[in-house]
């Protein structure tokens, strides 16, 4: 696909990354805020990948960690984190 110069300029202006995909990692607290905002908007915390893939993955990992506390590979959930969920 060939992009016109004005479209390239528009993408550059918003900070579009042209190289490899860079993933933005959010902190646990930032994710909790995202989840609170989602709940405020939708009335529930059953986030689907269709709505927000990244937040849905966070929720799945949090559920897995809650059900597998202390097991290798699971997200570390402290009592404070569990309370915030």
């Amino acid at each position: 696909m060939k992009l016109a110069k004005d479209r390239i300029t528009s993408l550059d202006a918003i900070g579009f990354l042209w190289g490899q995909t860079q993933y933005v990692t959010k902190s646990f607290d930032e994710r909790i805020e995202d989840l609170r905002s989602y709940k405020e908007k939708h009335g529930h915390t059953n986030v689907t990948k269709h709505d927000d893939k990244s937040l849905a993955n966070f929720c799945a990992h949090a559920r897995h960690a809650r059900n597998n506390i202390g097991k290798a590979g699971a997200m570390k959930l402290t009592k404070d984190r569990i309370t915030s969920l």
Side-chain angles (χ1 to χ4, degrees), residues 40-84:
E40 188 175 307
K41 181 177 179 182
H42 298 280
H44 61 82
T45 58
N46 189 22
V47 184
T48 65
K49 288 186 179 185
H50 175 74
D51 289 335
D52 186 329
K53 184 177 180 180
S54 180
L55 186 57
N57 286 337
F58 168 80
C59 292
H61 290 169
R63 287 184 188 103
H64 175 78
R66 180 68 170 96
N67 294 323
N68 296 282
I69 292 176
K71 292 188 179 177
M75 176 192 297
K76 292 184 181 182
L77 286 180
T78 62
K79 287 182 182 181
D80 290 338
R81 284 184 169 187
I82 292 170
T83 301
S84 68

